[in-house]
Amino acid sequence: MSMLKDRVFLIGMPGCGKTTIGKVLAKELNYTFYDMDKYIVDISGKEVHELFNEGEEVFRKWETEACKELSKKRNSIISTGGGVIKTSVNREILRSSGLVVFIDRPVENIIGDVDINTRPLLKNGAGEVYKLYEERYELYKETSHIKVLNDGFIRDTIDNIKKSLNGRIKE
């Protein structure tokens, strides 16, 4: 990659660590942290579950709007929603406007940690996590510039991301 980027998008399954890792990464890089789901709540005036109750397509439209707006934020780490890669325009926005880091976490770890009651798309139980993983895994890989495994200590994952970003972002 010839041009240095000044924004990093974190993608991956719900519960893979995007928000936790993003907050630490932003602090350590002196970047601003944005949580895309929180940003959607701010710009839509509705909670994520309310938007999903209106239909997943309603939520996805707000998500694309958030992608467009957040892709203009300088010196930022953006934790995306797990399904952001479902929409081709979102994948294009992410890849063209920043470095995309896929945080790959084994499904068993996600199921062991995540409260599925707080995740709209996971409310149908653990089997849903496997289904989403199968549906999305290739899209995560295709969309990302960097893939980092998160299967141990979160500190190790953060350090691995920082090593991968070295020389690829503006500091």
Side-chain angles (χ1 to χ4, degrees):
M1 177 157 310
S2 57
M3 269 191 44
L4 293 176
K5 301 289 186 176
D6 64 356
R7 66 192 65 77
V8 176
F9 295 98
L10 303 178
I11 64 171
M13 287 287 291
C16 74
K18 297 180 298 286
T19 301
T20 303
I21 290 167
K23 286 177 180 175
V24 175
L25 205 53
K27 186 174 184 180
E28 291 182 5
L29 295 173
N30 201 24
Y31 272 32
T32 304
F33 174 76
Y34 295 94
D35 179 293
M36 191 175 283
D37 282 349
K38 283 190 174 59
Y39 194 83
I40 291 167
V41 169
D42 291 343
I43 63 174
S44 72
K46 294 183 179 180
E47 295 297 323
V48 169
H49 72 271
E50 292 175 299
L51 293 170
F52 266 99
N53 287 343
E54 293 176 29
E56 185 177 346
E57 67 284 350
V58 172
F59 174 79
R60 297 291 171 211
K61 284 180 184 167
W62 282 106
E63 188 173 57
T64 296
E65 185 58 34
C67 273
K68 289 176 184 171
E69 291 183 21
L70 290 170
S71 73
K72 296 175 182 140
K73 302 286 186 188
R74 315 270 333 242
N75 301 322
S76 58
I77 304 288
I78 299 132
S79 168
T80 65
V84 71
I85 45 79
K86 288 180 67 172
T87 310
S88 62
V89 69
N90 293 352
R91 293 191 304 270
E92 291 168 25
I93 291 168
L94 299 181
R95 279 194 62 81
S96 65
S97 59
L99 277 171
V100 183
V101 178
F102 169 27
I103 301 172
D104 188 8
R105 187 163 188 225
V107 177
E108 297 74 28
N109 296 28
I110 292 172
I111 291 169
D113 281 354
V114 173
D115 178 2
I116 59 175
N117 297 318
T118 63
R119 307 283 181 151
L121 284 177
L122 305 182
K123 64 182 180 232
N124 297 331
E128 190 71 13
V129 181
Y130 285 101
K131 184 175 161 223
L132 290 176
Y133 189 80
E134 285 178 28
E135 286 173 6
R136 297 175 178 180
Y137 191 78
E138 287 305 315
L139 288 173
Y140 290 136
K141 282 189 356 187
E142 289 168 19
T143 306
S144 65
H145 297 105
I146 299 165
K147 179 179 163 230
V148 177
L149 186 61
N150 179 16
D151 67 347
F153 293 107
I154 202 116
R155 180 73 252 168
D156 294 339
T157 304
I158 293 164
D159 290 343
N160 287 336
I161 292 171
K162 285 171 72 175
K163 281 182 207 150
S164 297
L165 294 176
N166 191 22
R168 298 174 85 170
I169 60 169
K170 294 177 184 171
E171 301 209 32

